mmCIF file of all heavy atoms in Angstrom:
data_model
loop_
_atom_site.group_PDB
_atom_site.id
_atom_site.type_symbol
_atom_site.label_atom_id
_atom_site.label_comp_id
_atom_site.label_asym_id
_atom_site.label_seq_id
_atom_site.Cartn_x
_atom_site.Cartn_y
_atom_site.Cartn_z
ATOM 1 N N LEU A 37 40.823 87.080 351.376
ATOM 2 C CA LEU A 37 40.975 85.723 351.996
ATOM 3 C C LEU A 37 40.951 85.899 353.518
ATOM 4 O O LEU A 37 41.044 87.031 354.047
ATOM 5 C CB LEU A 37 42.281 85.090 351.536
ATOM 6 C CG LEU A 37 42.379 84.829 350.040
ATOM 7 C CD1 LEU A 37 43.753 84.316 349.662
ATOM 8 C CD2 LEU A 37 41.324 83.848 349.565
ATOM 9 N N SER A 38 40.800 84.755 354.216
ATOM 10 C CA SER A 38 40.606 84.847 355.661
ATOM 11 C C SER A 38 41.931 84.859 356.438
ATOM 12 O O SER A 38 42.044 85.582 357.453
ATOM 13 C CB SER A 38 39.850 83.635 356.184
ATOM 14 O OG SER A 38 38.770 83.355 355.364
ATOM 15 N N GLY A 39 42.874 84.049 356.005
ATOM 16 C CA GLY A 39 44.050 83.830 356.854
ATOM 17 C C GLY A 39 43.667 82.816 357.916
ATOM 18 O O GLY A 39 42.478 82.607 358.216
ATOM 19 N N LEU A 40 44.681 82.156 358.475
ATOM 20 C CA LEU A 40 44.389 81.139 359.528
ATOM 21 C C LEU A 40 43.857 81.831 360.766
ATOM 22 O O LEU A 40 44.322 82.951 361.105
ATOM 23 C CB LEU A 40 45.649 80.394 359.834
ATOM 24 C CG LEU A 40 46.037 79.270 358.874
ATOM 25 C CD1 LEU A 40 47.440 78.736 359.218
ATOM 26 C CD2 LEU A 40 45.045 78.146 358.908
ATOM 27 N N PRO A 41 42.939 81.212 361.461
ATOM 28 C CA PRO A 41 42.440 81.810 362.691
ATOM 29 C C PRO A 41 43.562 82.123 363.669
ATOM 30 O O PRO A 41 44.596 81.408 363.653
ATOM 31 C CB PRO A 41 41.492 80.714 363.268
ATOM 32 C CG PRO A 41 41.208 79.804 362.111
ATOM 33 C CD PRO A 41 42.344 79.887 361.182
ATOM 34 N N GLY A 42 43.369 83.159 364.480
ATOM 35 C CA GLY A 42 44.329 83.517 365.504
ATOM 36 C C GLY A 42 45.638 84.007 364.916
ATOM 37 O O GLY A 42 46.702 83.709 365.469
ATOM 38 N N ARG A 43 45.561 84.708 363.789
ATOM 39 C CA ARG A 43 46.753 85.237 363.127
ATOM 40 C C ARG A 43 47.836 84.175 362.877
ATOM 41 O O ARG A 43 49.006 84.399 363.062
ATOM 42 C CB ARG A 43 47.366 86.374 363.963
ATOM 43 C CG ARG A 43 46.485 87.573 364.108
ATOM 44 C CD ARG A 43 47.091 88.565 365.076
ATOM 45 N NE ARG A 43 46.264 89.790 365.057
ATOM 46 C CZ ARG A 43 46.607 90.871 364.372
ATOM 47 N NH1 ARG A 43 47.695 90.947 363.639
ATOM 48 N NH2 ARG A 43 45.782 91.930 364.382
ATOM 49 N N GLY A 44 47.330 82.981 362.510
ATOM 50 C CA GLY A 44 48.258 81.879 362.303
ATOM 51 C C GLY A 44 48.910 81.846 360.967
ATOM 52 O O GLY A 44 49.530 80.848 360.577
ATOM 53 N N GLY A 45 48.757 82.916 360.166
ATOM 54 C CA GLY A 45 49.376 82.991 358.870
ATOM 55 C C GLY A 45 48.388 82.683 357.750
ATOM 56 O O GLY A 45 47.190 82.941 357.874
ATOM 57 N N LEU A 46 48.888 82.076 356.681
ATOM 58 C CA LEU A 46 48.072 81.828 355.474
ATOM 59 C C LEU A 46 48.339 80.429 354.972
ATOM 60 O O LEU A 46 49.512 80.085 354.698
ATOM 61 C CB LEU A 46 48.438 82.861 354.405
ATOM 62 C CG LEU A 46 47.625 82.872 353.127
ATOM 63 C CD1 LEU A 46 46.167 83.343 353.411
ATOM 64 C CD2 LEU A 46 48.231 83.793 352.108
ATOM 65 N N ASN A 47 47.305 79.629 354.876
ATOM 66 C CA ASN A 47 47.504 78.241 354.428
ATOM 67 C C ASN A 47 46.496 77.971 353.268
ATOM 68 O O ASN A 47 45.325 78.233 353.410
ATOM 69 C CB ASN A 47 47.265 77.259 355.564
ATOM 70 C CG ASN A 47 47.538 75.845 355.154
ATOM 71 O OD1 ASN A 47 46.850 75.267 354.314
ATOM 72 N ND2 ASN A 47 48.590 75.240 355.719
ATOM 73 N N ILE A 48 47.019 77.501 352.182
ATOM 74 C CA ILE A 48 46.170 77.306 350.967
ATOM 75 C C ILE A 48 44.947 76.423 351.325
ATOM 76 O O ILE A 48 43.848 76.741 350.923
ATOM 77 C CB ILE A 48 47.008 76.623 349.863
ATOM 78 C CG1 ILE A 48 48.112 77.518 349.353
ATOM 79 C CG2 ILE A 48 46.108 76.195 348.696
ATOM 80 C CD1 ILE A 48 49.052 76.924 348.316
ATOM 81 N N ALA A 49 45.171 75.331 352.039
ATOM 82 C CA ALA A 49 44.069 74.383 352.296
ATOM 83 C C ALA A 49 42.971 75.037 353.159
ATOM 84 O O ALA A 49 41.791 74.774 352.971
ATOM 85 C CB ALA A 49 44.586 73.157 352.934
ATOM 86 N N TYR A 50 43.377 75.904 354.076
ATOM 87 C CA TYR A 50 42.337 76.571 354.899
ATOM 88 C C TYR A 50 41.489 77.474 353.970
ATOM 89 O O TYR A 50 40.267 77.480 354.088
ATOM 90 C CB TYR A 50 42.986 77.413 355.972
ATOM 91 C CG TYR A 50 41.950 78.021 356.895
ATOM 92 C CD1 TYR A 50 41.372 77.278 357.921
ATOM 93 C CD2 TYR A 50 41.490 79.336 356.691
ATOM 94 C CE1 TYR A 50 40.409 77.817 358.722
ATOM 95 C CE2 TYR A 50 40.489 79.876 357.485
ATOM 96 C CZ TYR A 50 39.945 79.091 358.498
ATOM 97 O OH TYR A 50 38.969 79.614 359.297
ATOM 98 N N GLU A 51 42.122 78.189 353.066
ATOM 99 C CA GLU A 51 41.374 79.090 352.200
ATOM 100 C C GLU A 51 40.466 78.316 351.211
ATOM 101 O O GLU A 51 39.446 78.762 350.846
ATOM 102 C CB GLU A 51 42.335 79.965 351.420
ATOM 103 C CG GLU A 51 43.257 80.812 352.279
ATOM 104 C CD GLU A 51 42.506 81.694 353.261
ATOM 105 O OE1 GLU A 51 41.425 82.185 352.924
ATOM 106 O OE2 GLU A 51 43.020 81.900 354.374
ATOM 107 N N ALA A 52 40.981 77.125 350.823
ATOM 108 C CA ALA A 52 40.214 76.334 349.829
ATOM 109 C C ALA A 52 39.066 75.558 350.484
ATOM 110 O O ALA A 52 38.042 75.294 349.810
ATOM 111 C CB ALA A 52 41.188 75.359 349.115
ATOM 112 N N VAL A 53 39.201 75.176 351.716
ATOM 113 C CA VAL A 53 38.210 74.311 352.320
ATOM 114 C C VAL A 53 37.625 74.862 353.598
ATOM 115 O O VAL A 53 36.398 75.255 353.648
ATOM 116 C CB VAL A 53 38.834 72.898 352.612
ATOM 117 C CG1 VAL A 53 37.723 71.924 353.059
ATOM 118 C CG2 VAL A 53 39.548 72.341 351.409
ATOM 119 N N ASP A 54 38.417 74.958 354.645
ATOM 120 C CA ASP A 54 37.874 75.162 355.982
ATOM 121 C C ASP A 54 37.167 76.490 356.151
ATOM 122 O O ASP A 54 36.179 76.594 356.914
ATOM 123 C CB ASP A 54 38.959 75.018 357.002
ATOM 124 C CG ASP A 54 39.584 73.607 357.045
ATOM 125 O OD1 ASP A 54 39.703 73.041 355.943
ATOM 126 O OD2 ASP A 54 39.886 73.076 358.091
ATOM 127 N N ARG A 55 37.616 77.521 355.471
ATOM 128 C CA ARG A 55 36.975 78.827 355.695
ATOM 129 C C ARG A 55 35.548 78.825 355.212
ATOM 130 O O ARG A 55 34.738 79.576 355.697
ATOM 131 C CB ARG A 55 37.792 79.958 355.094
ATOM 132 C CG ARG A 55 37.625 80.139 353.630
ATOM 133 C CD ARG A 55 38.480 81.337 353.188
ATOM 134 N NE ARG A 55 38.390 81.473 351.752
ATOM 135 C CZ ARG A 55 37.872 82.531 351.176
ATOM 136 N NH1 ARG A 55 37.396 83.514 351.855
ATOM 137 N NH2 ARG A 55 37.839 82.601 349.841
ATOM 138 N N HIS A 56 35.205 77.950 354.225
ATOM 139 C CA HIS A 56 33.820 77.908 353.774
ATOM 140 C C HIS A 56 32.920 77.303 354.861
ATOM 141 O O HIS A 56 31.765 77.640 354.933
ATOM 142 C CB HIS A 56 33.709 77.079 352.507
ATOM 143 C CG HIS A 56 34.540 77.602 351.402
ATOM 144 N ND1 HIS A 56 34.456 78.884 350.915
ATOM 145 C CD2 HIS A 56 35.542 77.035 350.662
ATOM 146 C CE1 HIS A 56 35.327 79.082 349.950
ATOM 147 N NE2 HIS A 56 35.995 77.981 349.786
ATOM 148 N N ILE A 57 33.502 76.420 355.630
ATOM 149 C CA ILE A 57 32.734 75.828 356.719
ATOM 150 C C ILE A 57 32.502 76.878 357.802
ATOM 151 O O ILE A 57 31.409 77.040 358.300
ATOM 152 C CB ILE A 57 33.406 74.572 357.228
ATOM 153 C CG1 ILE A 57 33.339 73.525 356.152
ATOM 154 C CG2 ILE A 57 32.753 73.994 358.500
ATOM 155 C CD1 ILE A 57 34.591 72.933 355.738
ATOM 156 N N ALA A 58 33.572 77.582 358.133
ATOM 157 C CA ALA A 58 33.463 78.664 359.115
ATOM 158 C C ALA A 58 32.380 79.678 358.669
ATOM 159 O O ALA A 58 31.725 80.279 359.496
ATOM 160 C CB ALA A 58 34.812 79.360 359.300
ATOM 161 N N ALA A 59 32.224 79.863 357.348
ATOM 162 C CA ALA A 59 31.241 80.827 356.837
ATOM 163 C C ALA A 59 29.854 80.193 356.685
ATOM 164 O O ALA A 59 28.917 80.840 356.151
ATOM 165 C CB ALA A 59 31.713 81.365 355.493
ATOM 166 N N GLY A 60 29.684 78.944 357.130
ATOM 167 C CA GLY A 60 28.386 78.342 357.082
ATOM 168 C C GLY A 60 28.008 77.656 355.781
ATOM 169 O O GLY A 60 26.859 77.330 355.520
ATOM 170 N N ASN A 61 29.030 77.453 354.898
ATOM 171 C CA ASN A 61 28.739 76.786 353.589
ATOM 172 C C ASN A 61 29.184 75.355 353.492
ATOM 173 O O ASN A 61 29.417 74.868 352.391
ATOM 174 C CB ASN A 61 29.396 77.650 352.485
ATOM 175 C CG ASN A 61 28.778 79.026 352.384
ATOM 176 O OD1 ASN A 61 27.596 79.170 352.582
ATOM 177 N ND2 ASN A 61 29.603 80.017 352.103
ATOM 178 N N GLY A 62 29.354 74.698 354.610
ATOM 179 C CA GLY A 62 29.895 73.334 354.634
ATOM 180 C C GLY A 62 29.067 72.356 353.832
ATOM 181 O O GLY A 62 29.588 71.379 353.315
ATOM 182 N N ARG A 63 27.763 72.587 353.705
ATOM 183 C CA ARG A 63 26.949 71.603 352.998
ATOM 184 C C ARG A 63 26.973 71.739 351.473
ATOM 185 O O ARG A 63 26.493 70.917 350.750
ATOM 186 C CB ARG A 63 25.499 71.697 353.465
ATOM 187 C CG ARG A 63 25.379 71.252 354.940
ATOM 188 C CD ARG A 63 24.031 71.491 355.511
ATOM 189 N NE ARG A 63 23.038 70.637 354.899
ATOM 190 C CZ ARG A 63 21.761 70.622 355.272
ATOM 191 N NH1 ARG A 63 21.352 71.388 356.256
ATOM 192 N NH2 ARG A 63 20.901 69.810 354.698
ATOM 193 N N HIS A 64 27.569 72.833 351.008
ATOM 194 C CA HIS A 64 27.649 73.052 349.561
ATOM 195 C C HIS A 64 28.531 71.999 348.928
ATOM 196 O O HIS A 64 29.523 71.543 349.523
ATOM 197 C CB HIS A 64 28.245 74.428 349.294
ATOM 198 C CG HIS A 64 28.079 74.897 347.897
ATOM 199 N ND1 HIS A 64 26.888 75.073 347.264
ATOM 200 C CD2 HIS A 64 29.062 75.155 346.973
ATOM 201 C CE1 HIS A 64 27.097 75.426 346.020
ATOM 202 N NE2 HIS A 64 28.384 75.500 345.797
ATOM 203 N N THR A 65 28.191 71.529 347.716
ATOM 204 C CA THR A 65 28.999 70.509 347.066
ATOM 205 C C THR A 65 30.325 71.079 346.563
ATOM 206 O O THR A 65 30.339 72.058 345.774
ATOM 207 C CB THR A 65 28.222 69.902 345.866
ATOM 208 O OG1 THR A 65 26.973 69.421 346.354
ATOM 209 C CG2 THR A 65 29.003 68.804 345.206
ATOM 210 N N ALA A 66 31.391 70.501 347.036
ATOM 211 C CA ALA A 66 32.722 70.896 346.588
ATOM 212 C C ALA A 66 33.110 70.186 345.333
ATOM 213 O O ALA A 66 33.602 70.792 344.374
ATOM 214 C CB ALA A 66 33.747 70.662 347.675
ATOM 215 N N LEU A 67 32.901 68.877 345.309
ATOM 216 C CA LEU A 67 33.375 68.031 344.174
ATOM 217 C C LEU A 67 32.241 67.213 343.625
ATOM 218 O O LEU A 67 31.435 66.667 344.401
ATOM 219 C CB LEU A 67 34.506 67.094 344.584
ATOM 220 C CG LEU A 67 35.673 67.708 345.370
ATOM 221 C CD1 LEU A 67 36.645 66.557 345.766
ATOM 222 C CD2 LEU A 67 36.413 68.686 344.498
ATOM 223 N N ARG A 68 32.174 67.105 342.314
ATOM 224 C CA ARG A 68 31.310 66.134 341.689
ATOM 225 C C ARG A 68 32.252 65.223 340.869
ATOM 226 O O ARG A 68 32.712 65.645 339.812
ATOM 227 C CB ARG A 68 30.318 66.825 340.711
ATOM 228 C CG ARG A 68 29.340 67.696 341.395
ATOM 229 C CD ARG A 68 28.031 67.044 341.789
ATOM 230 N NE ARG A 68 27.357 66.462 340.619
ATOM 231 C CZ ARG A 68 26.415 65.544 340.723
ATOM 232 N NH1 ARG A 68 26.040 65.079 341.911
ATOM 233 N NH2 ARG A 68 25.831 65.103 339.601
#
Side-chain angles (χ1 to χ4, degrees):
L37 298 174
S38 316
L40 281 172
R43 295 174 174 260
L46 185 68
N47 184 295
I48 294 175
Y50 185 82
E51 302 304 326
V53 188
D54 297 38
R55 79 180 177 116
H56 301 304
I57 292 127
N61 295 325
R63 292 172 69 176
H64 192 62
T65 303
L67 309 176
R68 295 266 304 161

